[in-house]
Amino acid sequence: MFKVITDKKWKKFCEAKSLPVDDAKFVLDTCYLGLTLRSRPGTLIVTEKELIHYSYSFTDTIFAIFEPSEKVTIPFADIAYVKKKPLSGRQNVFHGYPSAVYQVLTNQGESYDLLFQARGDEFLAEMRQLNIPIAD
């Protein structure tokens, strides 16, 4: 996996969406949401209280072709656990060999798969620091 948006466009995107990047605990400009054909590239932000994935639209990057920009916010109080998710060989190839994949499961039974192009270990360390349960 690789970066899908330039730093300049990413900063404009964050400003336009009023994203709290300056006060965030963890920020990543390229993180995919979902393990399907419609895996959504976007930015990932971890604040004191929530995890935010804001996907890009086609106007932000060609890698989001035919997709609208969508914000997914998961309050930490709703997270049951975060778990490392292994991929099959086929899934690894299809998703460009992500450096890490984590599944976030909520208390309501919703599941979110986050595909990291980089810094997956830093994300997990931050989740631990924020006392989010980590499943083995």
Side-chain angles (χ1 to χ4, degrees):
M1 296 182 85
F2 52 90
K3 194 172 185 158
V4 299
I5 192 167
T6 65
D7 287 339
K8 186 177 178 179
K9 276 190 153 187
W10 178 75
K11 287 176 184 173
K12 280 185 170 184
F13 177 85
C14 292
E15 287 173 12
K17 305 294 185 186
S18 300
L19 296 174
V21 294
D22 293 334
D23 300 327
K25 297 286 194 180
F26 178 86
V27 176
L28 190 60
D29 61 7
T30 303
C31 179
Y32 285 76
L33 179 66
L35 279 175
T36 66
L37 182 59
R38 295 188 64 200
S39 189
R40 308 288 311 273
T43 190
L44 182 71
I45 300 165
V46 176
T47 69
E48 287 280 341
K49 299 180 189 247
E50 61 192 6
L51 186 148
I52 302 166
H53 183 275
Y54 213 129
S55 61
Y56 303 125
S57 72
F58 179 70
T59 59
D60 303 310
T61 176
I62 193 158
F63 294 95
I65 194 163
F66 305 123
E67 297 289 349
S69 183
E70 292 181 356
K71 183 179 181 182
V72 173
T73 302
I74 309 167
F76 291 153
D78 291 349
I79 295 177
Y81 61 82
V82 173
K83 176 181 177 180
K84 189 163 188 152
K85 189 166 186 172
L87 297 182
S88 70
R90 195 174 339 168
Q91 286 175 313
N92 264 317
V93 170
F94 180 75
H95 291 291
Y97 295 96
S99 68
V101 179
Y102 296 106
Q103 180 182 51
V104 178
L105 187 71
T106 68
N107 295 318
Q108 296 77 25
E110 297 169 313
S111 177
Y112 301 92
D113 295 315
L114 299 171
L115 287 80
F116 288 79
Q117 66 155 6
R119 301 180 51 220
D121 292 338
E122 288 178 48
F123 168 78
L124 194 60
E126 191 59 47
M127 293 290 96
R128 282 192 174 102
Q129 185 108 16
L130 292 163
N131 296 315
I132 303 302
I134 308 297
D136 293 326

